[in-house]
Amino acid sequence: GVTQSPTHLIKTRGQQVTLRCSSQSGHNTVSWYQQALGQGPQFIFQYYREEENGRGNFPPRFSGLQFPNDSSELNVNALELDDSALYLCASSSLGQGSYGYTFGSGTRLTVV
Amino acid sequence: GESVGLHLPTLSVQEGDNSIINCAYSNSASDYFIWYKQESGKGPQFIIDIRSNMDKRQGQRVTVLLNKTVKHLSLQIAATQPGDSAVYFCAEATGTYKYIFGTGTRLKVLA
């Protein structure tokens, strides 16, 4: 499956944070989503074979990396209070077809 | 665990009844649709999907119906069980697998 770390995190406004994800073995695509309380997940960006393959409506202070070993990172700089949310990592094998993304359980980020 | 959605539309059904959860999607170019179930403290869990060249697909106890004319998607759950209580999201995608999620519906199963 997809595992994310840490499960919970508290940061101060202005700080930087790195969230980690270990994708399902063999999956070549990872996407990150932000889910605010009471809302559906919102697409941040997608990485395919270690390159950004698409981006949602998020500012450049949200950045990511994908590594060859099925792991990836989401970095957020200059944290704002509104960045408090559940951050979800999802992996897939692009072109696999009907099985879609497998989501991790997320990292709950609280910015104070 | 934490609540996934505090002010979501809620559907309450009796255990054993059938549930129908509806979703309106936004992009007529979307060609892939998915239903996810999300329990408190967990990530979305894949339930069933459908491509735009189909109008119905069945799984185990679940059926998804797609009406492209009115951009409407529905999830039918047969013989609803207490374990089906969760928030359900529909998502639409076009080719790149960027998912656009709906706002979600909370399903409450009454014993």
Side-chain angles (χ1 to χ4, degrees):
Chain A
V2 177
T3 57
Q4 294 187 242
S5 62
T7 54
H8 293 81
L9 196 56
I10 299 175
K11 288 286 191 178
T12 303
R13 188 171 49 182
Q15 285 188 312
Q16 178 266 344
V17 69
T18 297
L19 310 182
R20 293 182 172 83
C21 172
S22 178
S23 302
Q24 191 162 321
S25 179
H27 281 185
N28 56 13
T29 305
V30 65
S31 290
W32 286 88
Y33 286 80
Q34 180 195 67
Q35 186 176 24
L37 203 59
Q39 297 182 20
Q42 284 200 300
F43 176 74
I44 302 175
F45 43 56
Q46 178 186 88
Y47 277 78
Y48 172 63
R49 292 182 176 174
E50 302 162 46
E51 297 208 358
E52 189 177 293
N53 189 42
R55 190 176 186 92
N57 190 25
F58 281 82
R61 61 189 183 84
F62 286 78
S63 63
L65 287 170
Q66 183 187 25
F67 304 103
N69 63 350
D70 297 331
S71 67
S72 59
E73 293 180 353
L74 165 66
N75 298 287
V76 187
N77 293 323
L79 283 166
E80 301 177 359
L81 297 179
D82 284 349
D83 295 333
S84 296
L86 180 68
Y87 288 86
L88 296 161
C89 168
S91 74
S92 175
S93 181
L94 197 64
Q96 181 181 14
S98 62
Y99 297 105
Y101 277 105
T102 301
F103 280 84
S105 293
T107 294
R108 171 67 64 183
L109 173 65
T110 302
V111 182
V112 298
Chain B
E2 295 177 347
S3 175
V4 169
L6 298 179
H7 303 293
L8 294 171
T10 299
L11 174 66
S12 297
V13 298
Q14 286 294 136
E15 182 179 354
D17 286 353
N18 296 335
S19 304
I20 300 176
I21 301 172
N22 296 303
C23 173
Y25 64 91
S26 58
N27 187 354
S28 56
S30 293
D31 58 7
Y32 180 58
F33 304 88
I34 318 97
W35 279 100
Y36 279 94
K37 171 186 180 183
Q38 189 172 26
E39 298 171 287
S40 286
K42 297 184 179 180
Q45 177 188 357
F46 173 90
I47 302 173
I48 192 168
D49 59 2
I50 189 168
R51 294 203 174 275
S52 59
N53 60 352
M54 302 171 69
D55 52 22
K56 180 179 180 179
R57 191 162 189 230
Q58 289 184 288
Q60 187 178 10
R61 276 202 311 120
V62 295
T63 300
V64 55
L65 299 177
L66 174 63
N67 184 333
K68 294 182 288 294
T69 303
V70 295
K71 295 192 288 185
H72 184 268
L73 197 65
S74 69
L75 176 70
Q76 300 177 3
I77 304 173
T80 310
Q81 302 169 0
D84 295 327
S85 293
V87 176
Y88 289 80
F89 291 99
C90 68
E92 58 183 299
T94 51
T96 61
Y97 295 87
K98 166 189 170 182
Y99 290 179
I100 300 173
F101 282 81
T103 53
T105 297
R106 180 187 303 282
L107 177 64
K108 284 189 176 178
V109 182
L110 308 173

